[in-house]
PDB file of all heavy atoms in Angstrom:
ATOM      1  N   LEU J 648      53.367 208.615  65.961  1.00 94.00           N
ATOM      2  CA  LEU J 648      54.774 208.723  65.574  1.00 94.00           C
ATOM      3  C   LEU J 648      54.936 209.585  64.329  1.00 94.00           C
ATOM      4  O   LEU J 648      55.868 210.403  64.238  1.00 94.00           O
ATOM      5  CB  LEU J 648      55.363 207.322  65.333  1.00 94.00           C
ATOM      6  CG  LEU J 648      55.520 206.445  66.591  1.00 94.00           C
ATOM      7  CD1 LEU J 648      55.823 204.998  66.208  1.00 94.00           C
ATOM      8  CD2 LEU J 648      56.635 206.997  67.482  1.00 94.00           C
ATOM      9  N   ARG J 649      54.016 209.425  63.349  1.00 94.00           N
ATOM     10  CA  ARG J 649      54.115 210.247  62.133  1.00 94.00           C
ATOM     11  C   ARG J 649      53.900 211.714  62.466  1.00 94.00           C
ATOM     12  O   ARG J 649      54.600 212.593  61.970  1.00 94.00           O
ATOM     13  CB  ARG J 649      53.088 209.759  61.111  1.00 94.00           C
ATOM     14  CG  ARG J 649      53.198 210.510  59.781  1.00 94.00           C
ATOM     15  CD  ARG J 649      52.353 209.886  58.683  1.00 94.00           C
ATOM     16  NE  ARG J 649      50.955 209.810  59.072  1.00 94.00           N
ATOM     17  CZ  ARG J 649      50.305 208.672  59.278  1.00 94.00           C
ATOM     18  NH1 ARG J 649      50.942 207.508  59.156  1.00 94.00           N
ATOM     19  NH2 ARG J 649      49.034 208.687  59.629  1.00 94.00           N
ATOM     20  N   GLN J 650      52.971 211.992  63.352  1.00 93.00           N
ATOM     21  CA  GLN J 650      52.702 213.374  63.749  1.00 93.00           C
ATOM     22  C   GLN J 650      53.889 213.953  64.525  1.00 93.00           C
ATOM     23  O   GLN J 650      54.204 215.146  64.408  1.00 93.00           O
ATOM     24  CB  GLN J 650      51.435 213.420  64.619  1.00 93.00           C
ATOM     25  CG  GLN J 650      51.070 214.841  65.072  1.00 93.00           C
ATOM     26  CD  GLN J 650      49.855 214.841  65.988  1.00 93.00           C
ATOM     27  OE1 GLN J 650      49.338 213.786  66.342  1.00 93.00           O
ATOM     28  NE2 GLN J 650      49.401 216.029  66.358  1.00 93.00           N
ATOM     29  N   ALA J 651      54.598 213.060  65.316  1.00 93.00           N
ATOM     30  CA  ALA J 651      55.730 213.541  66.111  1.00 93.00           C
ATOM     31  C   ALA J 651      56.992 213.714  65.274  1.00 93.00           C
ATOM     32  O   ALA J 651      57.991 214.253  65.773  1.00 93.00           O
ATOM     33  CB  ALA J 651      55.996 212.574  67.261  1.00 93.00           C
ATOM     34  N   GLY J 652      56.970 213.244  64.028  1.00 93.00           N
ATOM     35  CA  GLY J 652      58.132 213.443  63.159  1.00 93.00           C
ATOM     36  C   GLY J 652      58.936 212.193  62.924  1.00 93.00           C
ATOM     37  O   GLY J 652      60.036 212.261  62.346  1.00 93.00           O
ATOM     38  N   CYS J 653      58.449 211.022  63.329  1.00 93.00           N
ATOM     39  CA  CYS J 653      59.164 209.757  63.101  1.00 93.00           C
ATOM     40  C   CYS J 653      58.343 208.918  62.136  1.00 93.00           C
ATOM     41  O   CYS J 653      57.278 208.415  62.487  1.00 93.00           O
ATOM     42  CB  CYS J 653      59.368 209.007  64.418  1.00 93.00           C
ATOM     43  SG  CYS J 653      60.173 207.387  64.215  1.00 93.00           S
ATOM     44  N   THR J 654      58.823 208.785  60.897  1.00 92.00           N
ATOM     45  CA  THR J 654      58.069 208.041  59.877  1.00 92.00           C
ATOM     46  C   THR J 654      58.636 206.645  59.640  1.00 92.00           C
ATOM     47  O   THR J 654      57.990 205.812  58.995  1.00 92.00           O
ATOM     48  CB  THR J 654      58.073 208.817  58.554  1.00 92.00           C
ATOM     49  OG1 THR J 654      59.436 209.029  58.152  1.00 92.00           O
ATOM     50  CG2 THR J 654      57.394 210.170  58.720  1.00 92.00           C
ATOM     51  N   ALA J 655      59.843 206.370  60.109  1.00 95.00           N
ATOM     52  CA  ALA J 655      60.433 205.037  59.925  1.00 95.00           C
ATOM     53  C   ALA J 655      59.907 204.121  61.026  1.00 95.00           C
ATOM     54  O   ALA J 655      60.199 204.326  62.208  1.00 95.00           O
ATOM     55  CB  ALA J 655      61.956 205.102  59.961  1.00 95.00           C
ATOM     56  N   ILE J 656      59.092 203.135  60.623  1.00 95.00           N
ATOM     57  CA  ILE J 656      58.361 202.301  61.577  1.00 95.00           C
ATOM     58  C   ILE J 656      58.781 200.844  61.396  1.00 95.00           C
ATOM     59  O   ILE J 656      58.933 200.356  60.276  1.00 95.00           O
ATOM     60  CB  ILE J 656      56.833 202.427  61.383  1.00 95.00           C
ATOM     61  CG1 ILE J 656      56.406 203.897  61.459  1.00 95.00           C
ATOM     62  CG2 ILE J 656      56.104 201.584  62.434  1.00 95.00           C
ATOM     63  CD1 ILE J 656      56.650 204.549  62.778  1.00 95.00           C
ATOM     64  N   GLN J 657      58.921 200.160  62.545  1.00 96.00           N
ATOM     65  CA  GLN J 657      59.208 198.716  62.531  1.00 96.00           C
ATOM     66  C   GLN J 657      58.363 198.067  63.605  1.00 96.00           C
ATOM     67  O   GLN J 657      58.348 198.510  64.752  1.00 96.00           O
ATOM     68  CB  GLN J 657      60.703 198.445  62.788  1.00 96.00           C
ATOM     69  CG  GLN J 657      61.074 196.977  62.851  1.00 96.00           C
ATOM     70  CD  GLN J 657      62.551 196.771  63.168  1.00 96.00           C
ATOM     71  OE1 GLN J 657      63.353 197.696  63.040  1.00 96.00           O
ATOM     72  NE2 GLN J 657      62.908 195.564  63.573  1.00 96.00           N
ATOM     73  N   GLY J 658      57.645 197.009  63.262  1.00 95.00           N
ATOM     74  CA  GLY J 658      56.817 196.332  64.252  1.00 95.00           C
ATOM     75  C   GLY J 658      55.802 195.420  63.613  1.00 95.00           C
ATOM     76  O   GLY J 658      55.680 195.337  62.379  1.00 95.00           O
ATOM     77  N   PHE J 659      55.025 194.748  64.456  1.00 94.00           N
ATOM     78  CA  PHE J 659      54.049 193.786  63.963  1.00 94.00           C
ATOM     79  C   PHE J 659      52.945 194.451  63.144  1.00 94.00           C
ATOM     80  O   PHE J 659      52.252 193.771  62.380  1.00 94.00           O
ATOM     81  CB  PHE J 659      53.426 193.029  65.140  1.00 94.00           C
ATOM     82  CG  PHE J 659      54.385 192.073  65.813  1.00 94.00           C
ATOM     83  CD1 PHE J 659      54.037 191.452  67.009  1.00 94.00           C
ATOM     84  CD2 PHE J 659      55.622 191.790  65.250  1.00 94.00           C
ATOM     85  CE1 PHE J 659      54.908 190.565  67.627  1.00 94.00           C
ATOM     86  CE2 PHE J 659      56.493 190.919  65.869  1.00 94.00           C
ATOM     87  CZ  PHE J 659      56.141 190.302  67.057  1.00 94.00           C
ATOM     88  N   HIS J 660      52.765 195.726  63.306  1.00 94.00           N
ATOM     89  CA  HIS J 660      51.711 196.404  62.554  1.00 94.00           C
ATOM     90  C   HIS J 660      51.948 196.267  61.050  1.00 94.00           C
ATOM     91  O   HIS J 660      50.985 196.163  60.274  1.00 94.00           O
ATOM     92  CB  HIS J 660      51.642 197.886  62.948  1.00 94.00           C
ATOM     93  CG  HIS J 660      50.555 198.639  62.220  1.00 94.00           C
ATOM     94  ND1 HIS J 660      49.213 198.443  62.478  1.00 94.00           N
ATOM     95  CD2 HIS J 660      50.621 199.582  61.233  1.00 94.00           C
ATOM     96  CE1 HIS J 660      48.502 199.227  61.693  1.00 94.00           C
ATOM     97  NE2 HIS J 660      49.338 199.937  60.922  1.00 94.00           N
TER      98      HIS J 660
END
Side-chain angles (χ1 to χ4, degrees):
L648 291 168
R649 184 170 57 246
Q650 181 183 4
C653 177
T654 58
I656 305 297
Q657 177 183 343
F659 290 171
H660 181 71

